[in-house]
Amino acid sequence: MSAITRRALVGGALAALPMPALLTRPAGAAEFSLKLGNNMPMTHPMNVHATAASTRIREATGGRVEVQLFPSSQLGSDTDMLTQIRSGALEMFFCSGLILATLVPVASINGIGFAFKDYPQVWAAMDGKLGALVRGEIAKRSIFALEHIWDNGFRNVTNSVKPIVKPEDLAGLRIRVPVSPLWTSMFSALGASPASINFNEVYSALQTHIVDAQENPMVVIHSAKLYEVQKYLSRTKHMWDGYWVLANTRALDRLKPEDRDIVVREINQSALDQRAAAEKLNNDLGKTLEGLGLQFNDVDPAPFREKLIAAGFYKGWQAKYGDAAWSVLAEASGGGLP
Ligand code: X2X
């Protein structure tokens, strides 16, 4: 008998037998295990505070619910995880609104160039009308976005060629951007040559010079060690980006209502804790990164914004999002939009 036939027979025989040992949960095991995937290493404040939430959820549900973290794109790229969260193969996913926009177009709206000047403005917008608008659109796709978005941060351009001081310095620069139409549009409008690459391939793309530049908040540049393969950090602060916690609606609805409430409550609590931690790091990491060899320069945002206006960037995106959504952004940005 060939190995294949034997395996098929054994499998068939086993499948036909009742297997109480396998169907009963071992003592102490959770009734519900929710996988939570993301693209950051465990040291990133997102995973530090997701771990804290997971511990509190296990305690508060008496061990019935377990949130299992899968950091560092272990379950695949962001594009893969977005597919998995829709199918239910993945129960929860930390996803940048801009990446989510390949599915829910308005979700990229907070990333419009230079829309927000500081964190207080961002949190008022994202916990207020702008966030509600985006969450409403996400809900139409049978995905539940938890109330509080987590901080990724204000993004800065890094590269291995030269300091970026004026928009012309970006001309023709091969810059990695995440997979999202808004990012490609913005860096094309600024005169660079953007390439869409998922985060799990960024380090090697920079190392092998498939691209020479990328843009991310300080915390990401630090925790993913991008300073090892980049030389200059220009404080462009060209957009703010955050991570929604997305949950597959069917998976959440399988929980007892009180367990579901605990999961949502504790993750929202950790969102607020993580914001404080990430904001502090994003403000404080400059010295550390300089010590690790990155050369910093300040940037006047005005000419970058002018370049975007001249390229029709704002008008084009206003037309895509529609006037209603655009006016919510305009109000949240306190007159920061052209
Ligand atoms: O992919 C990126 O650059 C990152 C880590 O910032 C996001 O998840 C959008």
Side-chain angles (χ1 to χ4, degrees), residues 106 109 112 130 133 313-319 321-332 337-338:
V106 79
I109 195 163
I112 286 293
L130 193 68
L133 180 122
F313 172 80
Y314 293 100
K315 285 232 153 23
W317 283 93
Q318 178 170 0
Y321 295 131
D323 290 342
W326 191 261
S327 68
V328 176
L329 176 67
E331 194 192 317
L337 291 184

PDB file of all heavy atoms in Angstrom, residues 106 109 112 130 133 313-319 321-332 337-338:
ATOM      1  N   VAL A 106     -13.113  56.154   1.651  1.00  0.00           N
ATOM      2  CA  VAL A 106     -13.029  57.361   2.488  1.00  0.00           C
ATOM      3  C   VAL A 106     -12.086  57.172   3.686  1.00  0.00           C
ATOM      4  O   VAL A 106     -11.685  58.137   4.334  1.00  0.00           O
ATOM      5  CB  VAL A 106     -14.443  57.806   2.948  1.00  0.00           C
ATOM      6  CG1 VAL A 106     -14.951  56.957   4.107  1.00  0.00           C
ATOM      7  CG2 VAL A 106     -14.448  59.281   3.329  1.00  0.00           C
ATOM      8  N   ILE A 109      -8.993  59.438   4.373  1.00  0.00           N
ATOM      9  CA  ILE A 109      -9.172  60.897   4.393  1.00  0.00           C
ATOM     10  C   ILE A 109      -8.275  61.611   5.420  1.00  0.00           C
ATOM     11  O   ILE A 109      -7.832  62.727   5.191  1.00  0.00           O
ATOM     12  CB  ILE A 109     -10.669  61.256   4.564  1.00  0.00           C
ATOM     13  CG1 ILE A 109     -10.914  62.726   4.228  1.00  0.00           C
ATOM     14  CG2 ILE A 109     -11.193  60.898   5.966  1.00  0.00           C
ATOM     15  CD1 ILE A 109     -12.378  63.075   3.961  1.00  0.00           C
ATOM     16  N   ILE A 112      -4.731  63.065   4.153  1.00  0.00           N
ATOM     17  CA  ILE A 112      -4.557  64.195   3.218  1.00  0.00           C
ATOM     18  C   ILE A 112      -3.411  65.091   3.720  1.00  0.00           C
ATOM     19  O   ILE A 112      -3.330  65.413   4.906  1.00  0.00           O
ATOM     20  CB  ILE A 112      -5.885  64.995   3.123  1.00  0.00           C
ATOM     21  CG1 ILE A 112      -6.900  64.217   2.293  1.00  0.00           C
ATOM     22  CG2 ILE A 112      -5.672  66.383   2.528  1.00  0.00           C
ATOM     23  CD1 ILE A 112      -6.556  64.061   0.826  1.00  0.00           C
ATOM     24  N   LEU A 130     -15.159  63.073  12.083  1.00  0.00           N
ATOM     25  CA  LEU A 130     -14.433  62.457  10.964  1.00  0.00           C
ATOM     26  C   LEU A 130     -14.296  60.949  11.184  1.00  0.00           C
ATOM     27  O   LEU A 130     -14.553  60.149  10.279  1.00  0.00           O
ATOM     28  CB  LEU A 130     -13.054  63.106  10.790  1.00  0.00           C
ATOM     29  CG  LEU A 130     -12.361  62.751   9.485  1.00  0.00           C
ATOM     30  CD1 LEU A 130     -13.087  63.351   8.285  1.00  0.00           C
ATOM     31  CD2 LEU A 130     -10.905  63.221   9.481  1.00  0.00           C
ATOM     32  N   LEU A 133     -17.597  59.193  10.642  1.00  0.00           N
ATOM     33  CA  LEU A 133     -17.910  59.052   9.219  1.00  0.00           C
ATOM     34  C   LEU A 133     -17.183  57.837   8.620  1.00  0.00           C
ATOM     35  O   LEU A 133     -17.769  57.011   7.919  1.00  0.00           O
ATOM     36  CB  LEU A 133     -17.472  60.335   8.516  1.00  0.00           C
ATOM     37  CG  LEU A 133     -17.691  60.446   7.029  1.00  0.00           C
ATOM     38  CD1 LEU A 133     -18.547  61.672   6.754  1.00  0.00           C
ATOM     39  CD2 LEU A 133     -16.384  60.600   6.265  1.00  0.00           C
ATOM     40  N   PHE A 313      -3.757  68.286  -6.292  1.00  0.00           N
ATOM     41  CA  PHE A 313      -3.927  67.176  -5.346  1.00  0.00           C
ATOM     42  C   PHE A 313      -5.194  67.352  -4.487  1.00  0.00           C
ATOM     43  O   PHE A 313      -6.020  66.449  -4.387  1.00  0.00           O
ATOM     44  CB  PHE A 313      -2.680  67.081  -4.462  1.00  0.00           C
ATOM     45  CG  PHE A 313      -2.793  66.115  -3.316  1.00  0.00           C
ATOM     46  CD1 PHE A 313      -2.622  64.753  -3.508  1.00  0.00           C
ATOM     47  CD2 PHE A 313      -3.071  66.575  -2.028  1.00  0.00           C
ATOM     48  CE1 PHE A 313      -2.720  63.862  -2.443  1.00  0.00           C
ATOM     49  CE2 PHE A 313      -3.159  65.696  -0.958  1.00  0.00           C
ATOM     50  CZ  PHE A 313      -2.989  64.337  -1.168  1.00  0.00           C
ATOM     51  N   TYR A 314      -5.344  68.529  -3.889  1.00  0.00           N
ATOM     52  CA  TYR A 314      -6.485  68.721  -2.974  1.00  0.00           C
ATOM     53  C   TYR A 314      -7.812  68.688  -3.740  1.00  0.00           C
ATOM     54  O   TYR A 314      -8.770  68.050  -3.308  1.00  0.00           O
ATOM     55  CB  TYR A 314      -6.326  70.033  -2.199  1.00  0.00           C
ATOM     56  CG  TYR A 314      -5.162  70.012  -1.229  1.00  0.00           C
ATOM     57  CD1 TYR A 314      -3.946  70.614  -1.547  1.00  0.00           C
ATOM     58  CD2 TYR A 314      -5.277  69.372   0.005  1.00  0.00           C
ATOM     59  CE1 TYR A 314      -2.873  70.588  -0.662  1.00  0.00           C
ATOM     60  CE2 TYR A 314      -4.205  69.342   0.897  1.00  0.00           C
ATOM     61  CZ  TYR A 314      -3.007  69.959   0.554  1.00  0.00           C
ATOM     62  OH  TYR A 314      -1.948  69.918   1.431  1.00  0.00           O
ATOM     63  N   LYS A 315      -7.853  69.357  -4.870  1.00  0.00           N
ATOM     64  CA  LYS A 315      -9.092  69.389  -5.671  1.00  0.00           C
ATOM     65  C   LYS A 315      -9.479  67.969  -6.102  1.00  0.00           C
ATOM     66  O   LYS A 315     -10.640  67.586  -6.058  1.00  0.00           O
ATOM     67  CB  LYS A 315      -8.900  70.256  -6.926  1.00  0.00           C
ATOM     68  CG  LYS A 315      -8.906  71.737  -6.671  1.00  0.00           C
ATOM     69  CD  LYS A 315      -9.906  72.434  -7.595  1.00  0.00           C
ATOM     70  CE  LYS A 315     -10.449  73.724  -7.035  1.00  0.00           C
ATOM     71  NZ  LYS A 315      -9.615  74.385  -6.026  1.00  0.00           N
ATOM     72  N   GLY A 316      -8.481  67.219  -6.536  1.00  0.00           N
ATOM     73  CA  GLY A 316      -8.735  65.851  -7.002  1.00  0.00           C
ATOM     74  C   GLY A 316      -9.316  64.980  -5.905  1.00  0.00           C
ATOM     75  O   GLY A 316     -10.277  64.232  -6.126  1.00  0.00           O
ATOM     76  N   TRP A 317      -8.754  65.080  -4.696  1.00  0.00           N
ATOM     77  CA  TRP A 317      -9.245  64.222  -3.602  1.00  0.00           C
ATOM     78  C   TRP A 317     -10.570  64.711  -3.054  1.00  0.00           C
ATOM     79  O   TRP A 317     -11.398  63.916  -2.629  1.00  0.00           O
ATOM     80  CB  TRP A 317      -8.161  64.054  -2.526  1.00  0.00           C
ATOM     81  CG  TRP A 317      -7.155  63.069  -3.025  1.00  0.00           C
ATOM     82  CD1 TRP A 317      -6.002  63.351  -3.697  1.00  0.00           C
ATOM     83  CD2 TRP A 317      -7.259  61.630  -2.987  1.00  0.00           C
ATOM     84  NE1 TRP A 317      -5.371  62.175  -4.066  1.00  0.00           N
ATOM     85  CE2 TRP A 317      -6.121  61.115  -3.647  1.00  0.00           C
ATOM     86  CE3 TRP A 317      -8.201  60.735  -2.470  1.00  0.00           C
ATOM     87  CZ2 TRP A 317      -5.906  59.737  -3.790  1.00  0.00           C
ATOM     88  CZ3 TRP A 317      -7.985  59.368  -2.614  1.00  0.00           C
ATOM     89  CH2 TRP A 317      -6.852  58.893  -3.265  1.00  0.00           C
ATOM     90  N   GLN A 318     -10.788  66.016  -3.107  1.00  0.00           N
ATOM     91  CA  GLN A 318     -12.099  66.527  -2.694  1.00  0.00           C
ATOM     92  C   GLN A 318     -13.181  65.924  -3.600  1.00  0.00           C
ATOM     93  O   GLN A 318     -14.232  65.480  -3.124  1.00  0.00           O
ATOM     94  CB  GLN A 318     -12.116  68.062  -2.803  1.00  0.00           C
ATOM     95  CG  GLN A 318     -13.473  68.651  -2.431  1.00  0.00           C
ATOM     96  CD  GLN A 318     -13.448  70.170  -2.299  1.00  0.00           C
ATOM     97  OE1 GLN A 318     -12.398  70.808  -2.492  1.00  0.00           O
ATOM     98  NE2 GLN A 318     -14.582  70.740  -1.971  1.00  0.00           N
ATOM     99  N   ALA A 319     -12.882  65.851  -4.897  1.00  0.00           N
ATOM    100  CA  ALA A 319     -13.851  65.278  -5.841  1.00  0.00           C
ATOM    101  C   ALA A 319     -14.067  63.791  -5.545  1.00  0.00           C
ATOM    102  O   ALA A 319     -15.191  63.281  -5.625  1.00  0.00           O
ATOM    103  CB  ALA A 319     -13.366  65.479  -7.278  1.00  0.00           C
ATOM    104  N   TYR A 321     -13.649  62.106  -2.556  1.00  0.00           N
ATOM    105  CA  TYR A 321     -14.353  61.859  -1.284  1.00  0.00           C
ATOM    106  C   TYR A 321     -15.762  62.437  -1.300  1.00  0.00           C
ATOM    107  O   TYR A 321     -16.632  61.984  -0.556  1.00  0.00           O
ATOM    108  CB  TYR A 321     -13.587  62.494  -0.113  1.00  0.00           C
ATOM    109  CG  TYR A 321     -12.231  61.899   0.168  1.00  0.00           C
ATOM    110  CD1 TYR A 321     -11.111  62.716   0.320  1.00  0.00           C
ATOM    111  CD2 TYR A 321     -12.056  60.520   0.316  1.00  0.00           C
ATOM    112  CE1 TYR A 321      -9.860  62.178   0.605  1.00  0.00           C
ATOM    113  CE2 TYR A 321     -10.808  59.980   0.590  1.00  0.00           C
ATOM    114  CZ  TYR A 321      -9.714  60.814   0.728  1.00  0.00           C
ATOM    115  OH  TYR A 321      -8.491  60.296   1.003  1.00  0.00           O
ATOM    116  N   GLY A 322     -15.960  63.478  -2.108  1.00  0.00           N
ATOM    117  CA  GLY A 322     -17.249  64.171  -2.115  1.00  0.00           C
ATOM    118  C   GLY A 322     -17.209  65.356  -1.153  1.00  0.00           C
ATOM    119  O   GLY A 322     -16.463  65.359  -0.172  1.00  0.00           O
ATOM    120  N   ASP A 323     -18.043  66.353  -1.440  1.00  0.00           N
ATOM    121  CA  ASP A 323     -18.005  67.601  -0.665  1.00  0.00           C
ATOM    122  C   ASP A 323     -18.404  67.397   0.791  1.00  0.00           C
ATOM    123  O   ASP A 323     -17.886  68.082   1.676  1.00  0.00           O
ATOM    124  CB  ASP A 323     -18.914  68.660  -1.309  1.00  0.00           C
ATOM    125  CG  ASP A 323     -18.351  69.152  -2.633  1.00  0.00           C
ATOM    126  OD1 ASP A 323     -17.130  68.943  -2.873  1.00  0.00           O
ATOM    127  OD2 ASP A 323     -19.108  69.715  -3.437  1.00  0.00           O
ATOM    128  N   ALA A 324     -19.321  66.463   1.045  1.00  0.00           N
ATOM    129  CA  ALA A 324     -19.803  66.281   2.423  1.00  0.00           C
ATOM    130  C   ALA A 324     -18.647  65.815   3.318  1.00  0.00           C
ATOM    131  O   ALA A 324     -18.378  66.406   4.373  1.00  0.00           O
ATOM    132  CB  ALA A 324     -20.947  65.274   2.451  1.00  0.00           C
ATOM    133  N   ALA A 325     -17.942  64.758   2.881  1.00  0.00           N
ATOM    134  CA  ALA A 325     -16.823  64.245   3.677  1.00  0.00           C
ATOM    135  C   ALA A 325     -15.713  65.293   3.765  1.00  0.00           C
ATOM    136  O   ALA A 325     -15.100  65.493   4.814  1.00  0.00           O
ATOM    137  CB  ALA A 325     -16.292  62.946   3.066  1.00  0.00           C
ATOM    138  N   TRP A 326     -15.474  65.960   2.652  1.00  0.00           N
ATOM    139  CA  TRP A 326     -14.388  66.955   2.616  1.00  0.00           C
ATOM    140  C   TRP A 326     -14.636  68.077   3.626  1.00  0.00           C
ATOM    141  O   TRP A 326     -13.711  68.552   4.288  1.00  0.00           O
ATOM    142  CB  TRP A 326     -14.239  67.522   1.203  1.00  0.00           C
ATOM    143  CG  TRP A 326     -13.002  68.342   1.032  1.00  0.00           C
ATOM    144  CD1 TRP A 326     -12.915  69.707   1.076  1.00  0.00           C
ATOM    145  CD2 TRP A 326     -11.668  67.852   0.812  1.00  0.00           C
ATOM    146  NE1 TRP A 326     -11.604  70.104   0.890  1.00  0.00           N
ATOM    147  CE2 TRP A 326     -10.821  68.983   0.726  1.00  0.00           C
ATOM    148  CE3 TRP A 326     -11.110  66.573   0.676  1.00  0.00           C
ATOM    149  CZ2 TRP A 326      -9.453  68.877   0.505  1.00  0.00           C
ATOM    150  CZ3 TRP A 326      -9.743  66.471   0.450  1.00  0.00           C
ATOM    151  CH2 TRP A 326      -8.928  67.603   0.374  1.00  0.00           C
ATOM    152  N   SER A 327     -15.895  68.492   3.749  1.00  0.00           N
ATOM    153  CA  SER A 327     -16.157  69.600   4.674  1.00  0.00           C
ATOM    154  C   SER A 327     -15.969  69.148   6.122  1.00  0.00           C
ATOM    155  O   SER A 327     -15.575  69.949   6.975  1.00  0.00           O
ATOM    156  CB  SER A 327     -17.541  70.215   4.434  1.00  0.00           C
ATOM    157  OG  SER A 327     -18.525  69.294   4.786  1.00  0.00           O
ATOM    158  N   VAL A 328     -16.197  67.863   6.414  1.00  0.00           N
ATOM    159  CA  VAL A 328     -15.916  67.359   7.767  1.00  0.00           C
ATOM    160  C   VAL A 328     -14.406  67.414   8.027  1.00  0.00           C
ATOM    161  O   VAL A 328     -13.957  67.844   9.094  1.00  0.00           O
ATOM    162  CB  VAL A 328     -16.445  65.909   7.945  1.00  0.00           C
ATOM    163  CG1 VAL A 328     -16.059  65.348   9.306  1.00  0.00           C
ATOM    164  CG2 VAL A 328     -17.957  65.870   7.762  1.00  0.00           C
ATOM    165  N   LEU A 329     -13.619  67.032   7.031  1.00  0.00           N
ATOM    166  CA  LEU A 329     -12.155  67.119   7.190  1.00  0.00           C
ATOM    167  C   LEU A 329     -11.717  68.580   7.341  1.00  0.00           C
ATOM    168  O   LEU A 329     -10.891  68.899   8.207  1.00  0.00           O
ATOM    169  CB  LEU A 329     -11.455  66.481   5.979  1.00  0.00           C
ATOM    170  CG  LEU A 329      -9.920  66.607   5.991  1.00  0.00           C
ATOM    171  CD1 LEU A 329      -9.297  65.786   7.124  1.00  0.00           C
ATOM    172  CD2 LEU A 329      -9.318  66.192   4.648  1.00  0.00           C
ATOM    173  N   ALA A 330     -12.282  69.438   6.507  1.00  0.00           N
ATOM    174  CA  ALA A 330     -11.887  70.859   6.529  1.00  0.00           C
ATOM    175  C   ALA A 330     -12.157  71.456   7.907  1.00  0.00           C
ATOM    176  O   ALA A 330     -11.321  72.164   8.470  1.00  0.00           O
ATOM    177  CB  ALA A 330     -12.635  71.628   5.443  1.00  0.00           C
ATOM    178  N   GLU A 331     -13.306  71.111   8.461  1.00  0.00           N
ATOM    179  CA  GLU A 331     -13.654  71.637   9.786  1.00  0.00           C
ATOM    180  C   GLU A 331     -12.687  71.081  10.838  1.00  0.00           C
ATOM    181  O   GLU A 331     -12.181  71.823  11.688  1.00  0.00           O
ATOM    182  CB  GLU A 331     -15.088  71.213  10.105  1.00  0.00           C
ATOM    183  CG  GLU A 331     -15.698  71.961  11.266  1.00  0.00           C
ATOM    184  CD  GLU A 331     -16.999  71.311  11.748  1.00  0.00           C
ATOM    185  OE1 GLU A 331     -17.810  70.926  10.874  1.00  0.00           O
ATOM    186  OE2 GLU A 331     -17.149  71.150  12.952  1.00  0.00           O
ATOM    187  N   ALA A 332     -12.400  69.791  10.735  1.00  0.00           N
ATOM    188  CA  ALA A 332     -11.515  69.162  11.737  1.00  0.00           C
ATOM    189  C   ALA A 332     -10.098  69.727  11.654  1.00  0.00           C
ATOM    190  O   ALA A 332      -9.386  69.765  12.653  1.00  0.00           O
ATOM    191  CB  ALA A 332     -11.487  67.654  11.504  1.00  0.00           C
ATOM    192  N   LEU A 337      -6.741  73.238   5.468  1.00  0.00           N
ATOM    193  CA  LEU A 337      -6.774  72.810   4.060  1.00  0.00           C
ATOM    194  C   LEU A 337      -6.857  74.028   3.152  1.00  0.00           C
ATOM    195  O   LEU A 337      -7.444  75.038   3.528  1.00  0.00           O
ATOM    196  CB  LEU A 337      -8.009  71.937   3.815  1.00  0.00           C
ATOM    197  CG  LEU A 337      -8.029  70.570   4.477  1.00  0.00           C
ATOM    198  CD1 LEU A 337      -9.274  69.807   4.052  1.00  0.00           C
ATOM    199  CD2 LEU A 337      -6.785  69.772   4.100  1.00  0.00           C
ATOM    200  N   PRO A 338      -6.304  73.940   1.939  1.00  0.00           N
ATOM    201  CA  PRO A 338      -6.419  75.078   1.025  1.00  0.00           C
ATOM    202  C   PRO A 338      -7.862  75.254   0.541  1.00  0.00           C
ATOM    203  O   PRO A 338      -8.623  74.317   0.556  1.00  0.00           O
ATOM    204  CB  PRO A 338      -5.496  74.706  -0.126  1.00  0.00           C
ATOM    205  CG  PRO A 338      -5.295  73.249  -0.041  1.00  0.00           C
ATOM    206  CD  PRO A 338      -5.504  72.852   1.377  1.00  0.00           C
TER     207      PRO A 338
END
